[in-house]
Amino acid sequence: MMPIEVQRAAALKPKPAATDVLGFGKYFTDHMFRMDYAPGQGWHQARIVPYGPLGLDPGAAALHYAQSVFDGAKVFRGRDGKLRAFRLKDHCARLAASAERLSMAVVPPELARASIEALVKEEAAWVPSAPGTSLYVRPVVIASEAFLGVRPADKYIFFAILSPVGNYFSNGAEPVRIWVEQRHTRAAPGGLGGAKAAANYAASLQASVEAKKRGYAQVLWLDALEHRYIEEVGTMNLFVRIGDELITPPLDGTFLPGITRESALTLLRDWGMKVSERKLSIDELREAHLKGELHEVFGTGTAAVISPVGGLGFEEGELKIGQGRVGEVSQRLYDALTGIQYGTQPDRHGWMTVIA
């Protein structure tokens, strides 16, 4: 690990009070991490600096050709006061894979992990302790070389920022209503869907805005070829419980390989439940609902952990799921994952890293 220079802020920001509603991504800590990449130098000048502008050239390739990837992890303050990061190694590995897909300079996962841990230690006082809160970690790689021309950039910036957060959805863990998108497409086979690229999120915005105008929290995306098979919900992976089978779409490169998804699959199999990674059509889902066999639908993701779905909206009406209540499996997964994250349940899979 290269040495990290620390430049501390002259004045510190007031921290949100324990009684404040943190929301998600509203507050940022006093410092950020940054290092730069250039040919012949590699990654260099690692430093923790006061939170502030990056100073990009207007010709920076990230602004013109979308060479921009990121990831998102969380750090939790346990009841014992210790700070634990959830699957940080895996998040850093996924950041590297995303950068490789966009032909960007890759931050070695161990270097990214050490950099983030150093920043979290510096900002330990910002990690909230109230139930349901955490410190969100956002590592980012962007192309900084100034040029106009379609090719991979030669220069990059890696930076990480931190944000104390509460629940991702304003209604907490209560079931959300989701609009089934049958017109727009977010990602297609062979595209960028499997990378955590900024462009993927830009592609989702119009449909998301339209869904919210209809009164829905997010969008359920269907496949690009037929608009028939379920893929993901908003920015989360999707699970459906039909009868005694839990189904999640297989990883085929059109959506992100979620770390919470993998964690949920591991726990469900630990519990001896029937789990399938297979294609699920919207027609099969409708038929299961008609037969009374559609028991639960829920999303999994870093931000929300588990987000139960209480209704699926279509042009012709809405399917009510689980009588609008949190499902049995959804609740069990939420309790198990958050228990591991806060240190109140045993970490049998070695997912947590004690940082401080």
Side-chain angles (χ1 to χ4, degrees), residues 5 80 114-115 117 120 122 128 130 133 147 162 166 174 188 224 266 272 279 293 311 313:
E5 177 189 355
D80 56 6
S115 304
E117 289 185 9
V120 170
E122 185 69 29
T133 63
F147 72 96
L162 307 175
E174 290 301 308
T266 298
K279 284 189 171 186
E293 296 174 351

Side-chain angles (χ1 to χ4, degrees), residues 14-15 54 67 84 142 159 164 172 254 280 295 314 317 334 352:
K15 296 177 179 61
L54 294 171
Q67 276 193 295
R84 296 176 175 85
I142 59 171
F159 67 93
T254 57
L280 174 67
H295 302 308
F314 300 83
Y334 180 83
M352 306 305 294

